[in-house]
């Protein structure tokens, strides 16, 4: 084997659970270690180890990303009551993704992995639609009350400086109902806006943003205002020079336009919109495993991950000794993303080139007809199509990778 490609800086490796943890090892052993010499700082976020460390390993891994700048994360179980029983947990630990997002104050960007032979279910979409999801506040940090009977629901703000509170009536209940309080902060919205303008600019794609500010004249209007301010202050000239557009419309209009578009934009979404719309895009583009995901902090730290879960059902089959046809594409693209970013930061073009070839090898494999079960179900029918098991799929990618690495020498 020729000399391995050297990665200068450290990559924070965050291991996970179930089927993705199994595939993680295969991906590293077959597609990475034979070719690249990497300094990895390893954090085991497998549920058992999170429990053993009282979840300290999760916060440690976030700190490590802050220190080294680039991390790559496997999918992890977010515990619920069933998992507490299954793993004998000390408590219902929080979602590691939530913890890491909060620590990095990050924005999550997702984009589909497109293949020529897997047409999106929306026929006008020719280019990937990237989604930037604000990962703070709104309904995800809400306070809710079940209103049991008639009474007044009020919104109260009590200033820290002791001045008079502001009070608004939400509703005079004549009988039972529900109440919800949500919030956001200017600081978090501004970080989100900055991250979106930066991502769209770096990727040379227009930025689309929609809120419901005609109805929510204070809350949603504040998002619109902060985006507008960020654009005017830091981006207007740059966007004009690069021929890029910042396009604000009402959220329902944005959705309608997205459906008729060719794709190829960053769609900035408030937290809930991003949660819902990224799943819609994921399935419309073929499979949950055909989506890249990266968490970007305002000060330029990156965590690459698969956006799907741990593929629990496949894992239970695997545990019984059955072979599965699980798609490792999102995991491979997460590693490729981390390597590319490391190469850009360290100024090592050979690392960037390797990451590009790794992705190209994946494309060549699927476009050549070799596919996992989730893909073959949605791909264009062809006599070339061949359903393979996970490990055979990774082996086929390796064959294509070897071809690309030899060809370009
Ligand atoms: P999931 O792991 O995303 O899987 C849901 C279904 O989607 C699978 O049963 C499978 O469908 C299909 N699928 C997802 N990824 C696939 C892949 N790579 N290849 C082939 N098919 C794939 O979601 P889940 O089963 O609801 O959640 C399992 C665990 O993941 C949960 O404990 C949850 O907390 C965790 N989770 C973690 C993350 C993260 O860390 N990023 C995200 C979401 C969920 P078929 O069974 O029909 O083949
Ligand atoms: Mg969701």
């Amino acid at each position: 084997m020729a000399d391995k490609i050297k990665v200068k800086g450290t990559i924070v490796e965050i291991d996970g659970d179930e089927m993705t943890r199994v595939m993680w090892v295969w991906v590293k052993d077959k597609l990475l270690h034979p070719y690249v010499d990497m300094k990895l700082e390893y954090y085991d976020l497998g549920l058992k180890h999170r429990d053993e460390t009282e979840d300290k390993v999760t916060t440690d891994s976030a700190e490590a990303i802050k220190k080294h700048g680039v991390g790559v994360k496997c999918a992890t179980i977010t515990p619920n009551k069933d998992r507490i029983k299954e793993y004998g947990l000390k408590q219902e630990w929080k979602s590691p993704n939530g913890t890491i997002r909060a620590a990095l104050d990050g924005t999550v960007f997702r984009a589909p992995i497109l293949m020529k032979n897997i047409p999106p279910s929306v026929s006008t979409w020719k280019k990937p639609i990237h989604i930037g999801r604000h990962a703070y506040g709104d309904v995800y940090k809400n306070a809710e009350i079940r209103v049991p009977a008639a009474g007044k629901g009020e919104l109260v703000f009590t200033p820290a400086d002791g001045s008079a509170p502001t009070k608004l009536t939400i509703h005079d209940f004549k009988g039972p109902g529900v109440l919800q309080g949500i919030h956001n902060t200017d600081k978090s919205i501004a970080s989100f806006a900055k991250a979106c303008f930066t991502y769209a600019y770096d990727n040379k794609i227009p930025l689309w943003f929609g809120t419901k500010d005609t109805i929510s004249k204070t809350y949603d209007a504040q998002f619109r205002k902060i985006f507008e301010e960020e654009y005017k202050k830091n981006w207007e000239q740059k966007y004009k020079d690069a021929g890029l557009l910042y396009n604000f419309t009402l959220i329902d209009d944005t959705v309608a336009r997205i459906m008729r578009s060719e794709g190829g934009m960053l769609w900035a979404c408030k937290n809930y919109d991003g949660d819902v719309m990224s799943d819609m895009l994921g399935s419309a583009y073929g499979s949950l495993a055909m989506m890249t995901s990266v968490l970007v902090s305002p000060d330029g730290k990156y965590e690459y991950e698969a956006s799907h879960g741990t593929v629990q059902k496949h894992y239970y089959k695997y545990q019984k000794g059955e072979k599965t046809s699980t798609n490792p594409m999102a995991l491979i693209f997460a590693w490729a993303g981390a390597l590319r970013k490391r190469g850009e930061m360290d100024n090592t073009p050979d690392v960037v080139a390797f990451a590009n070839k790794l992705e190209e090898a994946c494309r060549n494999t699927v476009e050549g007809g070799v596919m996992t079960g989730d893909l073959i179900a949605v791909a264009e029918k062809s006599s070339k199509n061949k359903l393979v098991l996970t490990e055979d799929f990774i082996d086929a990618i390796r064959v294509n990778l070897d071809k690309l690495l030899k060809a370009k020498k």
Side-chain angles (χ1 to χ4, degrees):
M1 182 86 230
D3 280 350
K4 289 188 195 177
I5 297 158
K6 275 212 163 45
V7 182
K8 248 200 222 164
T10 300
I11 294 177
V12 178
E13 178 192 357
I14 304 178
D15 209 344
D17 288 299
E18 301 195 312
M19 204 59 214
T20 43
R21 188 183 178 99
V22 174
M23 295 196 290
W24 194 254
V25 175
W26 293 341
V27 167
K28 286 201 309 173
D29 286 352
K30 289 171 190 259
L31 299 175
L32 302 171
H33 289 319
Y35 306 98
V36 281
D37 185 6
M38 310 180 272
K39 259 185 279 165
L40 299 172
E41 195 169 301
Y42 180 81
Y43 291 85
D44 182 2
L45 265 59
L47 186 50
K48 195 167 157 283
H49 193 234
R50 272 183 274 151
D51 196 52
E52 283 161 8
T53 62
E54 316 261 303
D55 209 25
K56 187 173 171 297
V57 66
T58 306
T59 38
D60 287 349
S61 71
E63 289 308 313
I65 296 174
K66 282 191 197 165
K67 181 173 164 204
H68 296 292
V70 180
V72 57
K73 181 180 169 294
C74 185
T76 45
I77 293 169
T78 300
N80 55 19
K81 301 280 177 285
D82 292 342
R83 300 299 200 161
I84 293 180
K85 242 202 251 151
E86 185 182 354
Y87 285 81
L89 302 180
K90 294 177 198 156
Q91 67 174 77
E92 196 171 326
W93 304 108
K94 284 194 197 147
S95 150
N97 295 326
T99 303
I100 296 171
R101 263 174 223 162
L104 294 177
D105 184 22
T107 301
V108 177
F109 293 99
R110 294 199 164 155
I113 305 165
L114 299 191
M115 299 287 147
K116 286 197 191 97
N117 52 347
I118 304 181
S121 18
V122 177
S123 58
T124 53
W125 292 353
K126 305 284 181 240
K127 300 179 210 160
I129 296 170
H130 303 240
I131 279 203
R133 173 180 170 193
H134 186 207
Y136 179 81
D138 297 358
V139 73
Y140 303 87
K141 279 222 184 297
N142 67 2
E144 300 184 322
I145 297 174
R146 164 75 174 127
V147 174
K152 191 195 270 192
E154 289 181 314
L155 193 60
V156 183
F157 171 69
T158 311
D161 68 5
S163 52
T166 312
K167 226 185 242 185
L168 285 177
T169 299
I170 301 172
H171 190 64
D172 270 318
F173 287 90
K174 306 285 179 254
V178 278
L179 264 175
Q180 180 183 59
I182 61 169
H183 81 281
N184 228 296
T185 67
D186 283 7
K187 182 166 174 276
S188 176
I189 302 167
S191 293
F192 172 51
K194 197 184 198 64
C196 290
F197 280 107
T198 308
Y199 181 96
Y201 185 76
D202 287 350
N203 286 280
K204 298 283 164 274
I205 52 179
L207 173 60
W208 291 24
F209 183 42
T211 68
K212 197 72 188 172
D213 59 308
T214 44
I215 301 293
S216 170
K217 290 185 197 304
T218 302
Y219 195 104
D220 274 27
Q222 189 64 5
F223 279 80
R224 178 177 184 171
K225 183 165 164 262
I226 288 175
F227 265 69
E228 194 64 34
E229 283 167 2
E230 173 66 19
Y231 179 61
K232 289 269 181 248
K233 192 166 146 221
N234 296 319
W235 301 98
E236 193 168 21
Q237 197 54 50
K238 280 188 181 166
Y239 269 53
K240 281 191 179 139
D241 292 346
L244 295 174
L245 182 77
Y246 167 53
N247 180 18
F248 179 89
T249 52
L250 279 175
I251 180 69
D252 30 2
D253 188 39
T254 311
V255 172
R257 284 167 191 262
I258 288 277
M259 297 309 286
R260 281 186 269 114
S261 77
E262 274 204 341
M265 71 289 285
L266 168 64
W267 181 8
C269 287
K270 287 180 61 201
N271 210 349
Y272 179 81
D273 299 340
D275 184 354
V276 177
M277 294 303 172
S278 60
D279 281 3
M280 181 189 78
L281 288 188
S283 63
Y285 276 111
S287 156
L288 288 179
M290 300 300 277
M291 186 68 103
T292 64
S293 183
V294 56
L295 175 72
V296 185
S297 79
D299 56 346
K301 315 289 182 204
Y302 294 78
E303 184 218 48
Y304 294 82
E305 55 170 12
S307 68
H308 59 74
T310 57
V311 214
Q312 183 183 7
K313 281 189 213 142
H314 293 215
Y315 181 62
Y316 289 167
K317 283 190 190 155
Y318 169 84
Q319 273 186 320
K320 280 194 253 157
E322 284 175 45
K323 300 253 184 203
T324 69
S325 181
T326 317
N327 189 341
M329 200 71 101
L331 295 181
I332 300 171
F333 272 66
W335 275 101
L339 284 167
R340 185 185 298 107
K341 183 51 74 183
R342 199 63 274 172
E344 286 167 8
M345 282 181 171
D346 302 338
N347 204 7
T348 47
D350 54 339
V351 176
V352 176
F354 175 80
N356 291 340
K357 279 175 202 163
L358 180 57
E359 291 182 354
E360 199 181 334
C362 290
R363 264 194 209 97
N364 293 349
T365 306
V366 174
E367 291 179 357
V370 177
M371 289 180 238
T372 45
D374 55 327
L375 296 181
I376 214 142
V378 291
E380 280 169 354
K381 301 289 163 251
S382 159
S383 56
K384 279 195 302 180
N385 288 1
K386 189 176 160 211
L387 172 66
V388 293
L389 300 170
T390 313
E391 278 181 284
D392 300 328
F393 184 66
I394 297 174
D395 288 337
I397 294 171
R398 184 166 181 181
V399 170
N400 282 319
L401 180 60
D402 281 334
K403 275 188 210 157
L404 289 170
L405 291 170
K406 269 196 206 108
K408 305 278 163 65
K409 268 206 181 124

